[in-house]
Amino acid sequence: MAFRSLKISITCSALLFASNGYAQSKMSEEHKAWLMKEFAPKHQAIIPKVAVADMFFGCNLERKIDPVPYQLGQIIEQMDKGLLAEKLSTCLQGENAQSDTALNFGLVGCFHDQFAKLSDADREKRMALVENAISRLSREQRQKSFTKCVTEQAIKYIK
């Protein structure tokens, strides 16, 4: 399954980034430890689903396999993991979740979510830049970008 194959490491800086306004230097070591204890397991658990949701969302935007106009938050928060994996598999049309195609769809999905609050015109401009960058970056660079994007994106979906 796509969830088992996607192993993305969590970093302390990503969790500290989520602390909404706390400067790292002003945060006590006790508070930092509490953040890690409280949120690291939740963050680690949701990252694979967010990554697969991004891949499916990006794939479905291009290929329109599923006629439902999903929002990423809806997929992440409401869709069963098994159903999501099936939908991604169907959309990828025989390619696996580690393929370049899936990675590119994941980047499109993740950045689409990052730009969701922008105006349509601004989002279109930025997505054009993302798609241009995708075509020019190496697989390693795209993987790093996807990992960072998903890690930051997952923070907003932690419950």
Side-chain angles (χ1 to χ4, degrees):
M1 281 279 150
F3 287 95
R4 287 188 207 116
S5 62
L6 289 173
K7 297 202 184 214
I8 302 172
S9 65
I10 184 172
T11 62
C12 180
S13 62
L15 285 175
L16 294 176
F17 172 78
S19 62
N20 289 334
Y22 284 113
Q24 287 184 12
S25 61
K26 294 182 181 180
M27 208 182 307
S28 72
E29 289 303 315
E30 184 178 301
H31 188 70
K32 288 178 188 177
W34 176 82
L35 279 173
M36 288 297 294
K37 181 181 176 193
E38 182 69 22
F39 294 105
K42 292 175 184 177
H43 191 252
Q44 190 69 31
I46 197 167
I47 284 176
K49 187 172 186 185
V50 171
V52 172
D54 285 334
M55 289 177 191
F56 169 66
F57 184 84
C59 184
N60 200 49
L61 271 178
E62 183 175 312
R63 295 183 176 170
K64 302 187 184 351
I65 299 294
D66 195 328
V68 178
Y70 293 107
Q71 297 298 314
L72 257 168
Q74 177 186 29
I75 296 169
I76 294 166
E77 294 174 339
Q78 298 172 6
M79 192 176 287
D80 173 73
K81 291 189 305 187
L83 178 61
L84 176 56
E86 287 176 29
K87 286 183 174 290
L88 175 61
S89 180
T90 299
C91 195
L92 290 177
Q93 301 171 337
E95 292 191 61
N96 68 37
Q98 290 77 39
S99 69
D100 281 337
T101 302
L103 176 58
N104 294 347
F105 284 143
L107 283 162
V108 167
C110 193
F111 281 100
H112 192 277
D113 194 43
Q114 296 283 331
F115 302 150
K117 294 188 183 210
L118 298 176
S119 69
D120 290 345
D122 284 343
R123 185 174 48 255
E124 285 179 28
K125 286 178 190 174
R126 291 195 185 186
M127 287 307 298
L129 293 172
V130 167
E131 291 177 16
N132 185 33
I134 288 171
S135 68
R136 295 184 318 181
L137 294 174
S138 70
R139 177 173 176 78
E140 181 181 344
Q141 291 169 318
R142 286 180 287 130
Q143 185 63 55
K144 284 180 183 178
S145 181
F146 185 55
T147 299
K148 182 178 181 197
C149 187
V150 168
T151 299
E152 290 176 7
Q153 179 189 26
I155 291 166
K156 76 179 185 181
Y157 293 106
I158 294 175
K159 294 189 182 225

